[in-house]
Amino acid sequence: MPGGLVAHTRKRPTTMKQLNVTRHLAEGRFTSFHFWMLFFACVIITFDMYDLVIFGSVLPILMEKWGISAAQAGLIGSSGLVGMMLGAMVFGVLADRFGRKNILVFAVVLFSLATIACALAPTPVLFAVFRFLTGLGIGGILPTIIAMLTDYAPKNLANRFVAIVMCFFSVGGILAALVAMAVLPHFSWHAVYLVGGIPLLLLPVMARYFVDSPALLIARGEENKLRSVLSKINPNTDFSSVALTTEDDTQAEESSSPVASLFKNRRALATLMIWVAFFMCLLMVNGLNTWLPGLMVDAGYALNSGLTFQAVMNVGAIVGTLVMGTVADKIGVKRVLVPMFAIAAASLILLGYGQSYLILLLLVFIAGACTMGPQNISYSFVSQYYPSHIRSTAIGMASGIGRLGAIVGPTFGGLLISWGASSQMNFLFFAIPGFIAAAAFLVVPIAKQKQKQLSNSDTDASHSEALLPSR
C-alpha cells in the first residue's frame, strides 16, 4: 500500500453515521455516471488499439519511402509491443501510488501525442522511438481503466463492464482498417496517424469521469471529492452528514512497494499462477492470430479459407467475451476461466483432424470464444482478486508478463511451421498453453465470503465472490 494511504488516514468522529463506500457502490444500481464512465473507457480503448495496429496499414508505404528491409520494419513494429509491456508494469504501479486519474490522463496524453509525432517523424529511427512512446502510453491505459471500473461498478455488473471494454480492442482494429481504406487513397500516410490524436480533443470531457479509488480519496483527506462522485451516482442521497470508510481503511501497510505486496499475505502462489496463465494465454492468442491462416493452408485449405477462419475466430472472441462476462457475474470468474481454457485447447486439437468445412468453422469459432474470451475476462479476475490499493499494480504486472507471451507467440508458431510437423502436431502444440493456463487458474486459491474480516483482510466487499488467497 502506498505509504501516504496509511500515513494520512485520519480518525473519523464516532458521533457521525458511517458509510462503507465499497459496499454502498457494490450494492448500487447502474446509473448515468456508470454509463459515461464505461462509454469513455470504451472510446479510449478503441483509440488505444487504433494507435497500435494502424502501423500495419502504412507499413508498405513506409518501407518504400524509407527503403527499409522487412527485418527493420519488424523491429519498428516490436518497439510498440515492448513499450506496451513496460507501460503496463510501470504505470500500473504508479497508478496505485499517485492515483488512477492522474496516471490515466497522462497515459492518454502520451499515446495521443506520440501517435501525432509518428506522423511527423522524418526518419525510421525517430519513428521507432515514437512508436515505443505510443506503446508506453497504451500499456498504461488498461490497468488504470479496469481498476477504476472495478472500484465503482455494481457487483452484479463488474465482469460485464470489463467484457464490454475489452471488446472495443476489436473495434479499434476495425476502425484502423476503415480509416486506412478511406484516407490512404486520397491523403498521405501522415493523415491516418493524425486521427490517433482525437482523444486529446475529448480529454477535457472524459476526465470528468476519471476517478481515483475511494480508499485513496479518503486517505488524502479528499472526502468531499468522493462525496461529489457519490452524489453523481446517487443524487437522491445526502452524503454530507456521514463519515466515509472503505474496506481498505483498516488495512495495515503491507509494503512500501506495491509489487512486493503482490506476494504478501499468502498471495505469492496466486500471483505466480496468474502470471503463468497470462503468459500462456497471450502466447496462444497472438500465435494463432498470426499463424492460423498459415496453419490452415498447411493443412490443405486455400488461403482465402484460412483468412475466413481467422475472421471467424475474432468474431468468436467478441461473442465469447460478452457471454462469459455475463456468466461470470452470475457464477464467478474462476468458474468460467478454467473450463473455457480447457475447451479452447480441446477445440484446437480437434482442428488438426480432417473434419467437414462447417465443423471446422464451428471449432474455430469455439477456439476464438474460448481463448480470447477468457483472456479478456481474466483481467476482471485479477482486478477482483487483489485489494484496491494494489489493484492497478496487479493488472499491470499480469498484463506486462502476458505481453512477453504475446511477443513469443508469433515466433513459437513460426518455429512449429518451420519444423515441418504434421498439422495435427502443430495444433496440439498450440493447445498445450491452453491446458497450462487452465491448470494455473485452477490452483489459484479462493477464500469464502466469511473469511473477509481476517486481520489483514484482502477482500473487496464490492464483489460477492470475495476473491482472496486462503489463509
Side-chain angles (χ1 to χ4, degrees):
M1 178 184 298
L5 190 58
V6 174
H8 298 295
T9 300
R10 299 170 291 141
K11 291 185 178 180
R12 298 171 181 82
T14 56
T15 57
M16 295 180 66
K17 182 179 178 181
Q18 290 194 347
L19 174 70
N20 187 305
V21 177
T22 309
R23 293 174 184 168
H24 176 78
L25 292 170
E27 295 165 1
R29 57 187 179 82
F30 184 78
T31 68
S32 61
F33 185 86
H34 293 114
F35 171 82
W36 288 111
M37 177 183 281
L38 183 61
F39 175 82
F40 287 121
C42 292
V43 169
I44 294 172
I45 291 297
T46 297
F47 280 95
D48 209 32
M49 192 64 174
Y50 174 93
D51 290 357
L52 181 68
V53 305
I54 197 64
F55 172 70
S57 300
V58 303
L59 182 57
I61 300 174
L62 295 181
M63 291 179 68
E64 181 179 355
K65 173 183 173 62
W66 284 328
I68 57 178
S69 65
Q72 291 171 322
L75 288 175
I76 294 174
S78 296
S79 65
L81 296 177
V82 173
M84 285 184 67
M85 178 184 67
L86 295 177
M89 294 178 173
V90 172
F91 286 126
V93 174
L94 293 179
D96 282 331
R97 281 193 168 276
F98 301 108
R100 286 163 196 152
K101 178 174 182 176
N102 290 335
I103 298 304
L104 183 53
V105 169
F106 180 79
V108 171
V109 171
L110 178 59
F111 85 69
S112 299
L113 288 179
T115 302
I116 294 173
C118 284
L120 307 176
T123 66
V125 173
L126 282 177
F127 187 89
V129 170
F130 295 141
R131 279 275 301 172
F132 173 78
L133 293 176
T134 300
L136 275 180
I138 289 173
I141 294 297
L142 201 59
T144 49
I145 277 187
I146 291 182
M148 182 179 68
L149 290 174
T150 301
D151 281 334
Y152 289 91
K155 66 180 179 182
N156 62 333
L157 295 173
N159 294 303
R160 270 171 281 188
F161 274 23
V162 174
I164 291 169
V165 166
M166 296 303 293
C167 285
F168 275 79
F169 276 113
S170 297
V171 175
I174 294 170
L175 178 65
L178 293 177
V179 170
M181 288 188 293
V183 171
L184 288 178
H186 308 287
F187 301 95
S188 70
W189 66 271
H190 306 82
V192 296
Y193 271 95
L194 293 176
V195 171
I198 288 178
L200 281 180
L201 303 177
L202 301 176
L203 191 56
V205 177
M206 294 191 296
R208 295 167 54 190
Y209 298 91
F210 297 166
V211 190
D212 285 322
S213 70
L216 187 60
L217 290 174
I218 291 174
R220 288 176 171 175
E222 298 177 351
E223 285 94 342
N224 286 337
K225 285 187 178 180
L226 181 54
R227 287 189 177 95
S228 176
V229 175
L230 293 174
S231 296
K232 292 175 182 176
I233 295 174
N234 191 351
N236 297 322
T237 302
D238 181 14
F239 296 97
S240 61
S241 58
V242 295
L244 305 179
T245 66
T246 69
E247 292 300 316
D248 275 357
D249 275 357
T250 58
Q251 274 186 293
E253 184 173 5
E254 296 172 345
S255 172
S256 59
S257 167
V259 177
S261 293
L262 300 179
F263 296 88
K264 300 291 184 180
N265 292 330
R266 298 178 182 266
R267 298 190 197 103
L269 174 63
T271 296
L272 291 175
M273 290 299 98
I274 287 170
W275 288 1
V276 168
F278 267 67
F279 181 91
M280 292 298 170
C281 286
L282 284 171
L283 183 154
M284 183 169 57
V285 167
N286 276 40
L288 284 173
N289 267 323
T290 302
W291 288 108
L292 182 61
L295 289 171
M296 299 310 294
V297 169
D298 190 55
Y301 293 91
L303 177 59
N304 285 343
S305 295
L307 295 175
T308 300
F309 287 132
Q310 188 176 37
V312 169
M313 185 175 71
N314 282 279
V315 172
I318 296 174
V319 175
T321 299
L322 294 174
V323 171
M324 290 176 202
T326 302
V327 174
D329 277 327
K330 298 182 182 299
I331 68 172
V333 194
K334 181 175 176 177
R335 291 173 181 169
V336 171
L337 291 179
V338 175
M340 289 303 102
F341 279 124
I343 292 173
S347 65
L348 288 175
I349 292 174
L350 292 175
L351 276 175
Y353 295 88
Q355 306 288 339
S356 71
Y357 188 74
L358 289 179
I359 292 178
L360 285 174
L361 285 176
L362 177 61
L363 289 172
V364 169
F365 180 88
I366 294 172
C370 296
T371 54
M372 288 181 272
Q375 166 59 28
N376 291 337
I377 298 301
S378 63
Y379 286 97
S380 183
F381 178 88
V382 174
S383 184
Q384 295 177 41
Y385 193 90
Y386 294 89
S388 180
H389 68 280
I390 55 172
R391 183 167 288 153
S392 295
T393 300
I395 300 169
M397 292 301 297
S399 179
I401 297 297
R403 288 294 162 194
L404 287 175
I407 293 170
V408 171
T411 303
F412 176 73
L415 288 174
L416 287 179
I417 291 180
S418 66
W419 287 341
S422 66
S423 60
Q424 289 90 348
M425 290 301 298
N426 287 336
F427 282 109
L428 174 62
F429 277 112
F430 263 117
I432 290 174
F435 286 123
I436 295 175
F441 275 121
L442 181 63
V443 300
V444 173
I446 304 293
K448 299 297 183 181
Q449 178 83 8
K450 63 183 179 181
Q451 292 179 287
K452 69 180 181 181
Q453 297 299 334
L454 291 171
S455 58
N456 288 320
S457 174
D458 292 331
T459 12
D460 185 340
S462 62
H463 300 92
S464 59
E465 193 175 17
L467 294 170
L468 169 69
S470 299
R471 305 293 264 176

